[in-house]
Amino acid sequence: MAQQYPEWIWQNGEIKPWKEATTHVMSHALHYGSSVFEGIRSYTTPDGAAIFRLTDHLHRLYQSARIYDMVLPHTADELAAACRDVIKKNELGAAYLRPVAYRGLGGFGLSAETPIDVAVAAWPMGPYLGAEALENGIDACVSSWQRFAPNTIPAGAKAGGNYLSGQLIAREARRLGFGEGIALASTGLLSEGAGENLFLVFDGVLHTTPASASILAGITRDTLKTLAREDGIEVVERDIPREYLYLADEILMCGTAAEITPIRSVDGKQVGAGKAGRVTRRLQELFFGLFDGRTNDRWGWLEPV
Ligand SMILES: Cc1ncc(COP(=O)(O)O)c(C=O)c1O
């Protein structure tokens, strides 16, 4: 089915029709990957539509920009307003938001000081890996592509160019019939999924890979760490060797797009009982409970549209 686009988009300070949000083919970002972006979800809640951890996502956007010496021509408050406006203008409730800042037209050299263009799009999006995946889990594989080493490209910046790595991992996995690919870091230890962080469960304890494993420090990962600890589930961040994927009681992937997706097999080997385990189910309950009122949002994560 052809992709349906929303009617309105925000670009460089104004809401305009989707089809008018164009950029020049010689824009720096198109050639060199010089963009930074966020993926944010809004949810419908009993108190109306709310953007999940908007402030934290925008904070990460500015941090990503700082790493690449990009100075955004808008404040975080202005971008937060843009996020709200684009949801309202498109009459969306639950949506996926995509703020992006990129080096535009203004020089062809790698270190050119171009203008920084900014856009915010919003569109309806269901579960990234499929609704069925949230319930029954996905079959994952370890990618033949490694993540970039920490002294090559900073994984902690959510920059456009990083997603060449993600594309190789995701496309290889899909080509081979898997739902998603898991990458090893340049150390040979576990890193993360193509666009998701990883949690493994051993004896009821959650284990997740550390920042030094070339991961993007996910906001969903942070959310799950907080919800789990609050619920009395221990969480440890540690180096994890590949074979632990074949020994874990449960594995899940998490991210704004993937939300909390159980992994039922890795490389054709069944994980635990081959379906979402007890800890994964509990985390799903707590996480999705934030949006239907079952989990009290003590942290102010739900930011009203
Ligand atoms: C490479 C990568 N890792 C992890 C994540 C999860 O991050 P978050 O939970 O902030 O969406 C994402 C998603 O943006 C990602 O692209």
Side-chain angles (χ1 to χ4, degrees):
M1 201 176 71
Q3 176 79 48
Q4 299 284 306
Y5 297 110
E7 207 177 336
W8 303 99
I9 187 166
W10 184 98
Q11 189 186 32
N12 294 333
E14 55 173 345
I15 296 255
K16 52 172 78 167
W18 178 275
K19 59 180 184 311
E20 288 176 19
T22 55
T23 198
H24 199 277
V25 291
M26 290 312 292
S27 293
H28 196 273
L30 197 55
H31 299 255
Y32 306 131
S34 38
S35 64
V36 294
F37 67 98
E38 275 302 316
I40 313 174
R41 274 190 192 265
S42 63
Y43 290 89
T44 50
T45 79
D47 298 323
I51 306 179
F52 188 59
R53 301 192 68 171
L54 173 63
T55 304
D56 296 326
H57 278 283
L58 291 178
H59 179 64
R60 188 172 67 185
L61 180 74
Y62 282 83
Q63 287 190 321
S64 300
R66 182 177 166 79
I67 291 170
Y68 285 102
D69 301 326
M70 291 169 64
V71 179
L72 272 55
H74 303 280
T75 64
D77 283 349
E78 284 165 356
L79 289 193
C83 289
R84 291 188 165 93
D85 289 350
V86 81
I87 287 182
K88 283 192 247 179
K89 186 79 179 169
N90 285 302
E91 298 178 11
L92 295 166
Y96 185 82
L97 277 155
R98 167 57 54 81
V100 58
Y102 58 95
R103 290 202 174 276
L105 185 65
F108 307 122
L110 284 178
S111 60
E113 284 307 336
T114 69
I116 306 298
D117 291 328
V118 187
V120 183
W123 63 91
M125 186 168 87
Y128 173 63
L129 298 168
E132 208 246 326
L134 281 186
E135 189 53 34
N136 299 325
I138 57 159
D139 300 306
C141 63
V142 173
S143 181
S144 68
W145 292 102
Q146 258 178 7
R147 262 313 195 215
F148 29 83
N151 58 350
T152 59
I153 290 178
K158 193 167 168 66
N162 295 18
Y163 287 79
L164 288 172
S165 157
Q167 286 174 57
L168 289 170
I169 296 161
R171 295 184 73 91
E172 178 188 63
R174 309 273 146 80
R175 191 166 62 244
L176 298 176
F178 293 96
E180 188 57 297
I182 296 171
L184 303 181
S186 59
T187 54
L189 298 165
L190 278 182
S191 175
E192 61 177 346
E196 308 85 7
N197 292 124
L198 270 180
F199 281 92
L200 284 71
V201 180
F202 291 94
D203 297 326
V205 175
L206 279 162
H207 297 240
T208 192
T209 53
S212 53
S214 294
I215 65 164
L216 179 72
I219 287 166
T220 319
R221 172 179 176 271
D222 180 70
T223 302
L224 294 192
K225 281 176 12 187
T226 305
L227 290 174
R229 285 180 177 142
E230 175 89 355
D231 200 49
I233 302 170
E234 195 185 333
V235 185
V236 289
E237 269 183 54
R238 50 166 301 203
D239 287 336
I240 307 178
R242 172 179 180 164
E243 66 271 24
Y244 280 42
L245 290 171
Y246 311 134
L247 304 174
D249 304 322
E250 302 175 35
I251 306 178
L252 66 89
M253 279 185 163
C254 70
T256 298
E259 297 171 306
I260 302 176
T261 301
I263 305 228
R264 65 182 173 208
S265 74
V266 179
D267 295 338
K269 294 177 197 259
Q270 184 172 300
V271 176
K275 56 182 190 188
R278 188 178 53 82
V279 176
T280 305
R281 283 270 177 256
R282 180 67 185 145
L283 291 177
Q284 284 183 325
E285 213 172 272
L286 291 169
F287 179 76
F288 290 110
L290 285 164
F291 314 120
D292 63 17
R294 282 174 302 146
T295 302
N296 179 22
D297 174 23
R298 289 205 304 101
W299 306 272
W301 287 336
L302 296 172
E303 303 185 38
V305 167

